[in-house]
Amino acid sequence: MAAAEMQGIFYANSVICHCFDSPYSIKLMSDNRLWAGRFNEPTDAFVEAFTASVEFDQRLAPQDIAGSIAHATMLAAQGIISGEEKRSIIDGLNVIKGKIEAGSFPWSVALEDVHMNIEAALTDAIGIAGKKLHTGRSRNDQVATDIRLWLRDEIDHLSSEIARLQQALLKIAAPEADTIMPGFTHLQTAQPITFGHHMMAWFEMLSRDASRLADCRKRMNIMPLGAAALAGTTYPIDRDLTAELLGFDAPAENSLDAVSDRDFAIEFTSAASIVMMHLSRFSEELIIWSSAQFAFIELSDSFCTGSSIMPQKKNPDVPELIRGKSGRIFGHLMALLTLMKSQPLAYNKDNQEDKEPLFDTVDNLKGCLKIFADMIPAISCRHDNMRAAAMRGFATATDLADYLVVKGIPFRDAHEVVGKAVALCVGKGCDLSELELPELQQFSEVIDEDVFDVLTLEGSVAARNHIGGTAPQQVRAAIQRAQEKLDSA
Ligand code: ARG
């Protein structure tokens, strides 16, 4: 198979490999490999394509350039390169940045990755000074720095999307703080709750998600640069300065750890997996609630699709797809754990495989959060159906038991009394609140007219009046606290 054909296997639809018409007149094969000094033979064409990462890591170009500018600034401050060389490097990098942004940068597979593509273009553009940029660093500390810079920004974006979704939840919880619906355990009607309370449960899950991401961001904001290949460098570098220029909290303590650590990627995909697990649970509820059997909510048409064969269908495709996408994110977490599990210190080429799972996790999570935050405010509640469902499942049975306990009956006995009353209702096809007083009294003489206060759905929810309870008053207070939390974040 010809080399070009083999490369085509890898990059059939890609816009890279334009090295022949490069404005930087980049040369091909061995001449062009920045590490090829000791090599006598050209790289096998298939190996070249197989080992290259530029197709996907070119995405790190803005971070790579920012890292290089900080590195060059530090080299000049330390007298390792001259002020003039520094300026020439920074100007050259900014021109390259402009070309990349304009889509006119000639990415080359022969130059393997984003780092060597940019460095080669810089040298082509500015000459000797470009060759000095790599002094005191290695691609090993360079790539570890780039990914952290990139992920840091992405976490910031994801956190703001989570806050937007939380805001949407508050917006729909507030007007539904009194809306009665059945609460479920085992997907069987358990006790009445309010729709607002249910929305606020989702809010809490997302608060934990946001704090997990913030925690991950804090731990990853440590700078690998200066670790060089693995052991540090012989030049008198100032790592504190580079860290400060790049907004890192500190330089990494240990050079071996700095180049090989990918814990932050695993932590991130783990936090992302938990967000996706939550979104998948929300999705599942939206799917169930919008079915004809439940009919608790109506999803806006703009988040559903129809069926090509069944004209009556309105399918909840968006929540279904989000539920489905959780699988690929969990997969990425497993891929990264497995990628790292047997690697000896320090850097190994295995690590190049960290990027695609990470990129795909971020892209999909971003999309899911965005669409969720847009979809939630467009939900409408079908109050009558929720109420009717709460009526149907003996949702106030626990309230009757609690009533008996207050009147001096031990809980276990009360449980049995209520069980008998429920059996009577099942036979008659009615709700507990629809039994006559004498019918109830045959099970316990302590039952009085006031029992009907607790058997109503409103009485039941209002009675759970403590922090974290479903009483409308508590739900309103929880919404207010949540709003304050969001506003102060
Ligand atoms: N493309 C490489 C990666 O993503 C950059 C580091 C390569 N280092 C090396 N020693 N081969 O990990």
Side-chain angles (χ1 to χ4, degrees):
M1 201 191 282
E5 250 180 280
M6 285 191 282
Q7 241 177 34
I9 293 171
F10 278 84
Y11 301 118
N13 299 315
S14 128
V15 290
I16 55 181
C17 312
H18 291 163
C19 23
F20 287 106
D21 22 274
S22 158
Y24 306 110
S25 53
I26 294 168
K27 289 163 280 160
L28 274 178
M29 304 307 287
S30 63
D31 296 330
N32 169 24
R33 298 167 300 168
L34 302 187
W35 37 255
R38 63 157 291 176
F39 287 74
N40 296 319
E41 292 171 27
T43 315
D44 176 274
F46 189 80
V47 170
E48 183 179 274
F50 185 77
T51 52
S53 54
V54 66
E55 187 194 22
F56 50 85
D57 68 14
Q58 56 182 268
R59 182 171 180 164
L60 296 173
Q63 291 73 24
D64 198 66
I65 289 173
S68 289
I69 289 176
H71 182 65
T73 305
M74 181 278 291
L75 291 178
Q78 294 300 99
I80 302 167
I81 61 171
S82 71
E84 202 180 314
E85 285 166 335
K86 173 190 87 172
R87 274 185 296 281
S88 158
I89 287 172
I90 294 177
D91 291 348
L93 286 171
N94 281 326
V95 171
I96 290 172
K97 191 172 170 208
K99 290 209 160 93
I100 293 171
E101 281 165 4
S104 60
F105 184 83
W107 296 105
S108 157
V109 176
L111 285 163
E112 199 176 317
D113 57 24
V114 61
H115 323 291
M116 294 202 290
N117 267 267
I118 291 176
E119 195 191 324
L122 180 69
T123 299
D124 249 359
I126 68 168
I128 301 274
K131 292 189 181 177
K132 295 194 177 180
L133 172 62
H134 213 51
T135 311
R137 79 172 182 186
S138 147
R139 278 185 296 152
N140 297 353
D141 57 346
Q142 195 178 349
V143 70
T145 303
D146 290 0
I147 313 171
R148 285 173 191 247
L149 287 172
W150 176 82
L151 191 54
R152 203 173 69 178
D153 287 352
E154 295 296 342
I155 287 180
D156 291 344
H157 179 88
L158 289 166
S159 304
S160 68
E161 281 298 275
I162 289 181
R164 200 165 72 85
L165 172 52
Q166 287 184 295
Q167 193 58 63
L169 286 169
L170 294 186
K171 196 170 160 222
I172 96 162
E176 309 292 350
D178 297 276
T179 303
I180 305 271
M181 67 178 285
F184 300 94
T185 58
H186 313 269
L187 203 55
Q188 307 290 318
T189 300
Q191 292 169 1
I193 56 169
T194 67
F195 189 76
H197 194 51
H198 200 118
M199 295 300 102
M200 292 308 288
W202 291 353
F203 182 96
E204 286 304 308
M205 296 182 217
L206 289 164
S207 294
R208 291 194 296 276
D209 289 334
S211 85
R212 262 184 287 273
L213 285 177
D215 198 39
C216 167
R217 188 196 192 284
K218 198 162 63 200
R219 222 178 339 271
M220 68 177 274
N221 201 28
I222 297 294
M223 187 193 69
L225 218 51
L230 76 163
T233 173
T234 54
Y235 300 96
I237 57 172
D238 179 353
R239 297 186 70 212
D240 287 320
L241 173 59
T242 327
E244 196 191 316
L245 292 172
L246 291 172
F248 283 110
D249 293 332
E253 281 288 341
N254 181 289
S255 62
L256 297 171
D257 179 49
V259 290
S260 70
D261 167 40
R262 294 295 182 273
D263 291 3
F264 64 92
I266 295 172
E267 265 191 76
F268 171 75
T269 39
S270 161
S273 292
I274 299 176
V275 182
M276 284 305 296
M277 177 271 288
H278 287 152
L279 295 186
S280 179
R281 294 184 70 187
F282 298 174
S283 295
E284 174 74 3
E285 294 200 319
L286 296 179
I287 293 161
I288 292 176
W289 291 351
S290 60
S291 69
Q293 288 67 24
F294 274 74
F296 285 2
I297 58 161
E298 184 84 41
L299 290 172
S300 151
D301 283 0
S302 40
F303 294 91
C304 298
T305 59
S307 156
S308 53
I309 176 170
M310 296 166 284
Q312 86 283 12
K313 291 294 286 287
K314 176 174 159 184
N315 295 328
D317 285 41
V318 167
E320 284 173 324
L321 193 55
I322 291 171
R323 188 177 56 184
K325 277 180 185 291
S326 59
R328 73 198 274 165
I329 310 290
F330 302 171
H332 293 326
L333 168 61
M334 210 40 66
L336 288 175
L337 280 168
T338 314
L339 172 68
M340 297 309 295
K341 86 172 248 302
S342 298
Q343 279 196 48
L345 289 173
Y347 176 87
N348 301 280
K349 183 75 167 178
D350 312 40
N351 283 357
Q352 186 165 290
E353 285 287 304
D354 62 356
K355 288 164 207 67
E356 288 158 293
L358 211 47
F359 293 163
D360 191 70
T361 299
V362 165
D363 292 343
N364 279 287
L365 184 55
K366 246 198 268 187
C368 292
L369 285 168
K370 180 194 161 14
I371 210 159
F372 233 99
D374 295 341
M375 177 172 65
I376 290 293
I379 287 177
S380 49
C381 288
R382 302 180 70 176
H383 300 106
D384 292 352
N385 293 342
M386 288 192 200
R387 192 184 171 80
M391 283 295 283
R392 266 198 310 274
F394 308 110
T396 56
T398 316
D399 297 272
L400 178 55
D402 291 343
Y403 168 89
L404 294 168
V405 168
V406 170
K407 301 244 166 173
I409 310 285
F411 184 78
R412 273 294 148 231
D413 295 339
H415 190 284
E416 195 185 332
V417 166
V418 179
K420 285 182 177 145
V422 166
L424 176 65
C425 290
V426 171
K428 289 185 66 174
C430 71
D431 181 60
L432 283 169
S433 61
E434 290 164 335
L435 290 176
E436 300 294 333
L437 185 58
E439 286 176 301
L440 282 164
Q441 283 171 330
Q442 65 181 301
F443 301 116
S444 169
E445 69 259 18
V446 304
I447 298 179
D448 222 329
E449 193 64 50
D450 60 353
V451 73
F452 293 104
D453 298 341
V454 307
L455 289 184
T456 64
L457 297 170
E458 280 72 17
S460 171
V461 292
R464 285 160 172 80
N465 193 16
H466 51 75
I467 289 184
T470 195
Q473 192 190 337
Q474 294 295 338
V475 174
R476 273 187 275 276
I479 292 171
Q480 198 184 328
R481 287 194 299 274
Q483 186 65 63
E484 283 160 16
K485 219 160 89 183
L486 270 189
D487 292 343
S488 67

